[in-house]
């Protein structure tokens, strides 16, 4: 064997091994949490409240809280994000406005989540006087995931060939009609991908809700958007680091971590399926 | 009518297009407006003062000196530029060891007189008092003018001790260094794996393997940071404690490992895009000259894609610097300037997350935490601008 080939084989072997270790890390994390957490999962675990100083019982209030935050942030971020994406791709001529919006969207997505937490506390909780509430938390999380929705919308619209637009115009349809009747229905599955990814992100974020809505423990479920809520990621944080008896709370913590992982798995799976469906339809 | 409707819709869409820019402006406005009060706050705790005998030659004290005096690290006035006298530290709660409770009056109305008596009798005293009990300034006492918290105290201070009395210490240096320390270590760990992963995905993997690996990497990116933190806490931390025989496993190293895993998806995805965008003709030219595939990757593809790879690294650093929950849970959060990877550190985001809940709204501590937010914001803004510049740079033409 030539020296050149030998070096190449060794190098490629190393590359393969290192790429494989990335997979191994993921398998390790998920496998570990599944093995440790599976024992805690049960119907009672997801339908009951925590008991015995959070060392027993379920995580139902945290699930409800996270659901509230997901719905709340999506009601806000999804329409605005989609409209924003439509504007960038369909209306704004490709000039400095688009470039500016894109740069700003990029910047927004690179801001650390804890800064969103600070901002949400200063604006929504203190200045606007919402207090620690679902409303404040949802708005903060909504702003956080806005770039995801905008970007996926933009990408979805971009993949639709111009011939569809021209065809619609040729039939006498206006721009708005074209968008509403031709472009949006076609792009919808891919836009929904953005929605789903945003849901995944919202359900896992902790830092932005620390000071805007999350509660350590609440005896009853929220009744209005001005109530505080428990939330899954914050619940896991509390169980893992503070609490009356950290060791005794470990099984519940493993279970909560597993639920969070499952949400992420489902979200990614759904997004993947939708994307595949969309691409097939386009072809 | 229809035309009008279309125009209205367009305007509405335009407004939503501006929302990200608006948000950024609002973030800047609010972070700064909450933080700027910090440099107008006095060094001594709010609504409190330090009082000395008017004969005392020391005019001013730095926050660090105040802390050392009250911790009895500095015991003589000569060390801060005064007479060679032992400092008598007086906290307000000490008052009953000087006088009986009756002398203070039923409603504590005699406290100012009592205080001026105590201070006159003890020339070397330094008293830390609430403002409502200050003695009359003509009575041979003087309120020490320590000034406001300065930029130098904040950015140059080596101690972060926001609950210290009488003067909280807001030295941000250990936090900034801690953040950089953990993040850079994380990138050093992640870079080889990220680069190898990117090369593997773009150059070596068949399209089937690729379509299997891509979702896995997305999954890695989708796992919430609190889950990473939890995993680090129950797996990595005990492991490190065992391996290195440490008293506590919560160290910079644990944080760096978790951050490295979290930064991997960013680095792999961005670097892979950069490597993929290398034109095929350049690759083929290299192969045609007799270079092996490996030589082509090392000598042609990577140099061509280097700006994109740099962008990936910088983005990864940005992710690591801003990460909060995972770091908070595994690094031990000791605010000391780090010297090795095997001791606890505290980062800027972790400090905000850990302390904002206890800091009273609008107080000095609150303002200091928002100032940390400003620092974090500026760092990430600089990073995303850097990425923008690096990524837009055209690769050098290969002749």
């Amino acid at each position: 064997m030539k020296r050149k080939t030998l070096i190449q084989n060794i190098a490629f072997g190393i590359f393969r091994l290192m790429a494989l270790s990335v997979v191994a890390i993921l398998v390790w994390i998920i496998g570990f949490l599944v093995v440790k957490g599976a024992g805690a999962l049960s119907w009672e675990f997801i339908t009951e409240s925590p008991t015995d100083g959070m060392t027993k019982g379920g995580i139902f209030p945290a699930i409800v809280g996270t659901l509230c935050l997901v719905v709340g942030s999506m009601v806000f971020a999804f329409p605005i994000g989609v409209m924003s994406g439509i504007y960038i791709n369909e209306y704004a001529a490709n000039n400095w406005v688009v470039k500016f919006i894109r740069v700003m969207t990029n910047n927004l997505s690179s801001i650390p989540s804890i800064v969103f937490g600070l901002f949400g506390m200063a604006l929504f909780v203190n200045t606007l006087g919402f207090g620690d509430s679902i409303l404040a938390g949802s708005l903060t999380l909504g702003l956080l995931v806005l770039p995801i929705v905008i970007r996926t919308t933009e990408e979805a619209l971009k993949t639709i060939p111009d011939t569809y637009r021209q065809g619609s115009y040729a039939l006498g349809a206006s721009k708005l009609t074209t968008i509403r009747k031709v472009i949006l229905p076609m792009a919808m599955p891919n836009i929904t991908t953005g929605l789903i990814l945003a849901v995944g992100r919202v359900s896992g974020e902790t830092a932005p809700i620390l000071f805007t809505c999350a509660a350590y423990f609440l005896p009853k479920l929220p009744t209005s958007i001005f109530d505080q809520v428990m939330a899954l990621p914050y619940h896991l944080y509390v169980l893992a680091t503070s609490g009356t008896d950290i060791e005794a709370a470990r099984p519940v913590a493993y279970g909560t971590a597993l639920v969070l992982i499952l949400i992420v798995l489902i979200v990614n799976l759904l997004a993947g399926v939708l994307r595949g469906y969309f691409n097939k339809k386009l072809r | 009518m229809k035309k009008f409707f279309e125009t209205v819709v367009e305007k509405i869409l335009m407004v939503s297009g501006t929302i990200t820019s608006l948000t950024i402006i609002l973030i800047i406005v609010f972070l700064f407006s909450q933080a700027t009060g910090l440099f107008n706050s006095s060094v001594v705790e709010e609504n409190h003062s330090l009082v000395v005998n008017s004969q005392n030659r020391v005019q001013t004290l730095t926050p660090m000196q105040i802390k050392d005096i009250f911790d009895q690290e500095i015991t003589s006035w000569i060390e801060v530029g005064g007479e060679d006298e032992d400092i008598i530290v007086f906290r307000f709660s000490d008052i009953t060891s000087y006088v009986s409770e009756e002398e203070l009056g039923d409603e504590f109305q005699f406290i100012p007189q009592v205080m001026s008596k105590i201070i006159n009798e003890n020339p070397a005293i330094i008293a830390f008092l609430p403002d409502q009990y200050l003695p009359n300034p003509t009575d041979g006492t003087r309120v020490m003018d320590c000034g406001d918290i300065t930029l130098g105290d904040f950015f140059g201070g080596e101690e972060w001790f926001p609950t210290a009395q009488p003067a909280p210490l807001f030295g941000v240096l250990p936090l900034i260094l801690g953040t950089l320390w953990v993040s850079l270590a994380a990138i050093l760990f992640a870079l080889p794996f990220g680069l190898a992963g990117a090369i593997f995905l773009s150059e070596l993997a068949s399209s089937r393997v690729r379509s299997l690996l891509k979702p896995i990497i997305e999954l890695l990116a989708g796992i919430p940071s609190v889950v990473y933190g939890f995993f680090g806490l129950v797996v990595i931390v005990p492991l490190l404690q065992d391996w290195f025989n440490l008293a506590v496993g919560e160290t910079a190293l644990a944080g760096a490992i978790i951050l490295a895993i979290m930064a991997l998806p960013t680095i792999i995805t961005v670097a892979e895009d950069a490597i993929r965008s290398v034109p095929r003709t350049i690759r083929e030219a290299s192969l045609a000259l007799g270079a092996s595939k490996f030589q082509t990757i090392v000598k042609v593809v990577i140099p061509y894609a280097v700006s994109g790879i740099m962008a990936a690294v910088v983005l990864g650093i940005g992710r690591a610097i801003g990460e909060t929950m995972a770091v908070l849970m595994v690094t031990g959060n000791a605010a000391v300037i780090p010297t090795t990877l095997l001791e606890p550190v505290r980062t800027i985001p972790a400090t905000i997350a850990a302390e904002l809940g206890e800091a009273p709204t609008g107080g000095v501590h609150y303002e200091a935490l928002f100032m940390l937010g400003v620092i974090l914001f500026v760092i990430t803004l600089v990073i995303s601008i850097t990425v923008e510049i690096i990524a837009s740079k055209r690769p050098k033409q290969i002749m």
Side-chain angles (χ1 to χ4, degrees), chain A residues 4 8 26 107 126 174 176, chain B residues 6 220 290 293-294 366 384:
Chain A
K4 205 164 80 172
Q8 167 165 320
L26 182 82
N107 283 343
N126 293 338
S174 69
L176 188 60
Chain B
E6 296 233 344
L220 213 52
K293 202 170 171 187
F294 177 62
Y366 177 89
S384 56

Side-chain angles (χ1 to χ4, degrees), chain A residues 9 21 42 44 132 140 150 167 171 190-191 205 214-215 230 235 244 280:
Chain A
N9 286 347
S21 60
S42 66
E44 287 74 36
D132 276 5
T140 311
I150 295 177
L171 291 170
N190 235 9
I191 293 177
E205 277 293 345
M230 294 171 74
H235 193 62
T244 43
K280 215 181 273 167

Side-chain angles (χ1 to χ4, degrees), chain B residues 148-178:
Chain B
D148 293 341
I149 295 171
T150 62
L151 277 169
D153 290 339
F154 190 70
F155 288 101
E158 293 181 11
E159 273 200 58
W160 176 267
F161 195 175
T163 52
Q165 264 186 328
L169 294 176
F170 297 112
V172 84
L173 219 52
L175 307 183
I176 293 182
L177 291 177

Side-chain angles (χ1 to χ4, degrees), chain A residues 4 7-8 11-12 15-16 18-19 21-23 25-26 28-30 32-33 80 83-84 86-87 91 100-101 103-116 118-119 121-123 126-127 143 146 150 174-177 204 206-207 210-211 233 236-237 240-241 250 253-254 257 260-261 264-265 268 275, chain B residues 2 5-6 9-10 12-14 16-17 19-21 23-24 26-27 30-31 34 192-193 196-197 199-200 204 213 216 218-220 222-224 226-228 230-231 233-236 261 264 268 290 292-295 297 319 322 324-325 328-329 349 352-353 356-357 361 366 369-370 373 376-377 380-381 384 388:
Chain A
K4 205 164 80 172
I7 292 175
Q8 167 165 320
F12 284 2
F15 288 163
R16 283 209 175 82
M18 288 176 96
S21 60
V22 175
V23 181
I25 290 170
L26 182 82
W28 185 26
I29 294 175
I30 294 188
F32 177 82
L33 292 176
I80 293 183
M83 288 200 294
S84 184
I86 293 175
Y87 179 74
Y91 282 90
F100 181 75
I101 295 178
V103 169
M104 282 308 211
T105 311
N106 269 341
N107 283 343
L108 191 65
S109 68
S110 70
I111 292 174
S113 54
I114 187 75
V115 173
F116 278 94
L118 281 175
F119 169 64
M121 180 182 186
L123 176 62
N126 293 338
T127 307
L143 288 177
L146 205 52
I150 295 177
S174 69
K175 189 163 193 167
L176 188 60
T177 318
T206 319
L210 278 177
F211 316 113
L236 175 58
Y237 170 63
T241 57
R250 272 291 136 82
Y254 283 122
L260 273 170
I261 288 272
V264 172
L265 277 174
N268 275 279
R275 218 177 278 154
Chain B
K2 203 174 167 198
F5 181 64
E6 296 233 344
V9 170
E10 189 181 337
I12 294 175
L13 291 174
M14 195 174 86
S16 34
I19 191 117
T20 49
S21 322
T23 309
I24 291 192
L26 277 177
I27 289 180
F30 271 89
L31 284 188
Q34 305 278 316
F193 288 92
I199 292 172
F200 177 78
L204 306 177
L213 270 178
I216 287 185
E218 269 171 42
L219 210 60
L220 213 52
I223 295 178
V226 67
V227 173
Y228 277 115
F230 180 62
F231 179 77
L233 194 63
V234 293
V235 177
I236 309 276
I261 299 175
L264 266 179
I268 293 179
S292 71
K293 202 170 171 187
F294 177 62
Q295 285 170 325
I297 292 174
R319 276 288 134 77
T324 313
M325 298 315 291
L328 175 65
M329 289 164 85
I352 300 173
L356 190 59
T361 306
Y366 177 89
L369 292 175
F370 269 85
L376 206 55
F377 178 78
T380 47
L381 205 65
S384 56
E388 208 90 29

